[in-house]
Amino acid sequence: MNRYPFEYDHARPFLQQVGEWVADVFYDILPEAGFEVRDEQIYMAYQLERAFAEKQTIFAEAGVGTGKTLVYLLYAICYARYTRKPAVIACADESLIEQLAKPEGDLAKLARHLSLAIDARTAKSADRYLCLVKLDSATQGDEDPDLYRTLHEELPDFVHQYQGLQSFYAYGDRKQYPHLNDNEWNKVSWDPFQDCFACEQRHRCGQTLSREHYRKSGDLIICSHDFYMEHVWTYEGRKREGQIPLLPDHCAVVFDEGHLLEGAAQKALTYRLKHTVFEELITRLLRGEIRESLAMRIDEAIERSELLFETLSRQSKPIPGSDRKQIILNDALFEQVRLFRQVIEAIEEELVFESELYTLNEYHLRIVEEHLEMIQKALSLFQNSDTLICWAAESDDGLTLVIMPRAVKEVLRERVFALNMPVVFSSATLSVNGSFTYLAESLGIERYVSFSVDSPYDYRNRMEVTAPEWPYGASFAEKMKAAVRQLARTEGRALILFTGKEQLRGFKEAISSFAECADLRFLFEGDGEISHLIAAFQNDESSVLCAVSLWEGLDIPGPSLSNVIIWSLPFPPQDPVFTAKREAAASPYEEVDLPYMLLRLQQGIGRLIRTREDRGMIAILSEEIHEQPKLRKVIEDLMPQGVPLKTD
């Protein structure tokens, strides 16, 4: 069987031959199969050929309908086979992963029409998998234990057996539990406080088995931005601990919807500290034969941890519209941090001596030492408050302290963009006012090539955009009535985009009182697994999908999506992450808020027209558009060519 889908001439540059084959695909092979020839694809192909040949970072901004996904897939597959290493396709979210990997997705289309066997495997974040330990706990809990007992009974037989596995068996993926809402899933899914290294069930865990499977991919590994950045952040640490990195060596990476990478990078570099987790971990040392001095230090550390988190609780206040709490830094809090670090240092010194006595379980000792090192790194950042973003989060088992570095530029520059491999950023929205500076500077990219191509669609005659006026200041009641009128115009068939969960919950509670919508089926993000909600929306033509996270990536061609209602302009929230960005900017509105909003709004508008035959309407429910002439002007400039922003 040929390694390449064309006859490879060793005397000529490989990527030049790939470019010629890609041109044949788009000019000859796909048109014969009924696909439309797009000059934008050929232009993009030539740009990618250069980026792959020179191992450069490239911003590939291509409008809806240009077929950018097929272009980067063809290059990534060929390059993977040439280098004998897989290429990584990192997507912004699970809906984009599904769009690529589902049976009728882009990869399946390529394989079918090009008679190409593609080895593409998905690598999902840990929180997308069932945790066997948490499931065991949930079956004994007070809240609906029967639900979780059923899940336990449905586990594959080998989970309860201990003979060797004969083959890979996929289980435990969030997608396999569509009937669970987000709250139910969170009770049994992995979270950052699970100690997987010491888990007796880790070799039967769906997450572990999946990891062993995707690492053997020959062509593509498809993952999320979050997962890729977790790989980058943990790479050195895992090697140091004798573990395998999350992803194998790879030849290239494509960041689909790459404008969202910074948030994923910050999330991956985040530290989370919780008293209950610390206490459970440190008391493991008491199970061995340890010296009295170490036992006393452990008791002191637990007491110091309690005092620290009590102080944090007093110094935290809720942030409106967010599930995060702002931490008010003061001398008393910093003193508690100093005292806690001091006792941790003393324990670390005791453990050096203790390890020489060989009285402690070596594996548990290593886990505790790694956790203590993480705490020291996190609290060291915390004491240098100019370089971090922090907040608190409340849950049933206590407060969590979250610590995140302000800038991720240095990590990205060193561990991604300096690896001498092609890095492709692909999206319809990478630039602001024609410039890629905003994205490049936020990610620390100093050298790159770029291009932009417009969408080939006739937006002028197929899209209508309105911004209703508000006699009473755009109150919630006014917005509800405007949304209901909009839904009536298309008899459902709508996507409603919210900027936060609080807005979505308010709409969900209120819509049942509108008799005009009694016959419509509403699907709400959080009520089930997202890819199943999207499939239900697509298959039930008159349904309405209400979401917070689907501003990017959702691809629903046809009449099922004929109406996009944008509940409010998607300015960034008033949470600690964006507060820190604003504090670091000379002009926060122009440098942070406005560029973020415009990119996200452009993405939301892009959900409507997905094929040449699509048509529909968009309603932007914003009072600011009518109050701020400059803002209205930049939004009007954002509209597709020939599409005016009308007042309803």
Side-chain angles (χ1 to χ4, degrees):
M1 179 179 174
N2 290 335
R3 171 173 291 274
Y4 309 116
F6 53 86
E7 290 296 326
Y8 175 41
D9 181 355
H10 291 268
R12 298 175 57 216
F14 174 74
L15 285 164
Q16 181 182 341
Q17 296 176 68
V18 175
E20 293 168 356
W21 173 70
V22 170
D24 289 341
V25 167
F26 289 124
Y27 278 131
D28 298 323
I29 301 174
L30 291 183
E32 288 178 6
F35 285 75
E36 180 183 352
V37 176
R38 293 167 180 165
D39 290 338
E40 294 87 357
Q41 285 177 316
I42 303 299
Y43 179 78
M44 179 175 177
Y46 283 123
Q47 303 304 312
L48 285 190
E49 179 184 329
R50 174 188 170 192
F52 273 82
E54 299 177 4
K55 298 180 181 180
Q56 291 184 319
T57 295
I58 182 169
F59 291 133
E61 184 176 58
V64 177
T66 53
K68 54 186 175 292
T69 303
L70 297 184
V71 179
Y72 73 60
L73 285 176
L74 293 175
Y75 273 91
I77 292 166
C78 291
Y79 197 65
R81 296 184 179 186
Y82 180 68
T83 60
R84 298 178 186 265
K85 296 178 182 179
V88 173
I89 312 297
C91 302
D93 55 35
E94 294 298 318
S95 63
L96 278 165
I97 292 175
E98 285 301 307
Q99 187 177 313
L100 282 175
K102 63 185 179 182
E104 68 278 14
D106 294 326
L107 282 166
K109 291 176 184 176
L110 274 184
R112 183 169 64 254
H113 293 295
L114 300 181
S115 300
L116 192 62
I118 303 172
D119 185 5
R121 310 187 188 190
T122 56
K124 297 192 176 183
S125 298
D127 59 4
R128 300 293 299 178
Y129 284 94
L130 190 74
C131 173
L132 296 175
V133 173
K134 287 178 70 175
L135 178 59
D136 286 342
S137 298
T139 59
Q140 308 300 319
D142 297 330
E143 296 184 25
D144 204 355
D146 291 340
L147 169 66
Y148 300 114
R149 289 190 189 114
T150 301
L151 295 184
H152 195 274
E153 292 167 1
E154 292 173 350
L155 291 172
D157 291 340
F158 66 76
V159 176
H160 309 291
Q161 300 169 356
Y162 290 92
Q163 63 262 34
L165 292 176
Q166 300 302 310
S167 61
F168 170 74
Y169 188 108
Y171 87 96
D173 186 337
R174 171 70 173 105
K175 192 173 68 169
Q176 295 171 314
Y177 305 95
H179 57 290
L180 298 183
N181 63 38
D182 285 357
N183 289 332
E184 292 167 340
W185 171 252
N186 289 338
K187 293 183 185 301
V188 294
S189 66
W190 180 91
D191 65 58
F193 299 108
Q194 299 309 304
D195 187 1
C196 297
F197 303 132
C199 180
E200 296 179 354
Q201 304 189 72
R202 66 189 304 251
H203 297 297
R204 302 281 153 178
C205 171
Q207 178 192 161
T208 303
L209 296 176
S210 170
R211 203 164 280 176
E212 293 172 357
H213 176 67
Y214 71 68
R215 292 183 59 83
K216 299 173 183 176
S217 175
D219 292 331
L220 303 176
I221 297 176
I222 305 169
C223 66
S224 65
H225 290 180
D226 289 354
F227 188 80
Y228 189 83
M229 292 314 305
E230 185 183 355
H231 159 74
V232 169
W233 182 235
T234 61
Y235 182 83
E236 294 296 337
R238 291 180 71 89
K239 289 181 68 175
R240 190 169 56 248
E241 296 165 17
Q243 300 180 63
I244 300 173
L246 294 180
L247 289 169
D249 286 344
H250 45 280
C251 64
V253 59
V254 177
F255 293 113
D256 202 337
E257 302 299 352
H259 62 287
L260 299 176
L261 181 63
E262 183 187 15
Q266 287 180 313
K267 182 179 177 182
L269 272 60
T270 295
Y271 297 98
R272 290 177 173 82
L273 308 182
K274 183 179 285 189
H275 169 71
T276 53
V277 174
F278 171 75
E279 183 175 13
E280 193 279 330
L281 196 71
I282 200 72
T283 52
R284 288 183 186 185
L285 298 177
L286 297 175
R287 299 171 191 169
E289 297 179 7
I290 62 174
R291 292 170 298 117
E292 183 179 358
S293 59
L294 176 56
M296 292 177 62
R297 289 295 189 187
I298 290 171
D299 288 340
E300 183 184 355
I302 292 171
E303 182 181 346
R304 283 291 166 204
S305 176
E306 286 179 332
L307 289 171
L308 170 59
F309 278 87
E310 286 173 6
T311 307
L312 274 170
S313 182
R314 290 194 300 270
Q315 292 299 118
S316 302
K317 67 176 185 179
I319 300 172
S322 174
D323 55 2
R324 298 171 176 176
K325 288 186 171 183
Q326 180 184 358
I327 298 174
I328 310 300
L329 303 176
N330 67 357
D331 291 341
L333 181 55
F334 284 125
E335 177 63 10
Q336 289 297 334
V337 169
R338 186 188 68 80
L339 293 171
F340 184 46
R341 289 194 68 197
Q342 193 174 54
V343 72
I344 294 294
E345 288 172 5
I347 290 175
E348 288 176 321
E349 292 174 3
E350 294 272 1
L351 289 178
V352 172
F353 182 78
E354 201 75 37
S355 63
E356 296 174 355
L357 300 178
Y358 300 101
T359 57
L360 292 173
N361 179 290
E362 183 179 353
Y363 187 70
H364 283 184
L365 177 60
R366 192 176 74 195
I367 296 303
V368 172
E369 287 177 331
E370 287 291 333
H371 193 79
L372 295 181
E373 183 182 348
M374 180 273 289
I375 291 174
Q376 290 285 37
K377 287 180 180 178
L379 294 181
S380 174
L381 265 178
F382 190 86
Q383 287 179 307
N384 188 8
S385 56
D386 291 339
T387 64
L388 66 82
I389 305 165
C390 64
W391 66 88
E394 195 73 63
S395 61
D396 294 339
D397 57 348
L399 200 69
T400 299
L401 171 61
V402 185
I403 300 171
M404 171 189 290
R406 280 181 183 266
V408 296
K409 296 179 182 181
E410 291 75 15
V411 174
L412 288 169
R413 186 183 295 121
E414 177 185 345
R415 302 188 191 179
V416 179
F417 304 120
L419 294 182
N420 194 32
M421 69 176 179
V423 178
V424 179
F425 285 82
S426 174
S427 178
T429 55
L430 293 174
S431 66
V432 178
N433 296 326
S435 171
F436 296 92
T437 302
Y438 172 73
L439 184 59
E441 289 185 350
S442 68
L443 297 174
I445 301 173
E446 297 172 347
R447 296 177 62 251
Y448 60 90
V449 294
S450 63
F451 70 89
S452 296
V453 291
D454 292 330
S455 170
Y457 295 155
D458 179 18
Y459 289 102
R460 181 195 302 268
N461 295 309
R462 307 196 77 83
M463 175 188 286
E464 174 188 324
V465 183
T466 60
E469 291 189 300
W470 311 101
Y472 303 104
S475 65
F476 177 78
E478 277 188 294
K479 284 194 172 187
M480 285 299 303
K481 291 177 181 177
V484 168
R485 286 196 304 271
Q486 194 76 3
L487 292 173
R489 294 178 66 180
T490 51
E491 298 178 329
R493 301 179 176 84
L495 169 69
I496 307 181
L497 292 171
F498 300 91
T499 59
K501 294 179 181 178
E502 191 174 316
Q503 290 180 349
L504 186 147
R505 284 194 293 266
F507 179 89
K508 184 178 181 180
E509 292 171 3
I511 194 62
S512 59
S513 63
F514 287 84
E516 306 96 305
C517 298
D519 295 331
L520 297 179
R521 179 188 181 193
F522 285 85
L523 303 164
F524 296 95
E525 182 177 354
D527 283 358
E529 195 275 326
I530 191 65
S531 66
H532 282 76
L533 288 175
I534 292 171
F537 173 60
Q538 187 166 16
N539 295 327
D540 183 356
E541 187 177 307
S542 61
S543 62
V544 179
L545 178 58
C546 304
V548 173
S549 68
L550 295 179
W551 293 78
E552 296 90 3
L554 184 67
D555 185 19
I556 306 290
S560 290
L561 208 172
S562 300
N563 192 347
V564 175
I565 301 172
I566 295 171
W567 190 259
S568 61
L569 290 179
F571 283 103
Q574 298 297 321
D575 72 1
V577 175
F578 284 98
T579 297
K581 284 176 169 283
R582 294 180 185 104
E583 290 173 352
S587 179
Y589 182 78
E590 284 77 12
E591 295 177 29
V592 178
D593 290 9
L594 189 61
Y596 176 94
M597 185 278 289
L598 292 175
L599 283 174
R600 202 157 174 82
L601 178 62
Q602 194 171 359
Q603 282 286 345
I605 290 170
R607 297 314 97 212
L608 183 65
I609 305 295
R610 308 302 298 178
T611 69
R612 288 192 185 277
E613 290 72 36
D614 286 351
R615 63 170 62 248
M617 59 185 68
I618 294 170
I620 304 173
L621 310 185
S622 161
E623 64 272 30
E624 301 102 321
I625 287 177
H626 304 291
E627 296 171 351
Q628 303 175 33
K630 290 183 179 179
L631 177 63
R632 182 184 179 100
K633 179 65 169 63
V634 295
I635 292 176
E636 287 175 338
D637 292 342
L638 190 75
M639 293 298 119
Q641 189 172 4
V643 178
L645 179 62
K646 299 179 181 178
T647 300
D648 192 9

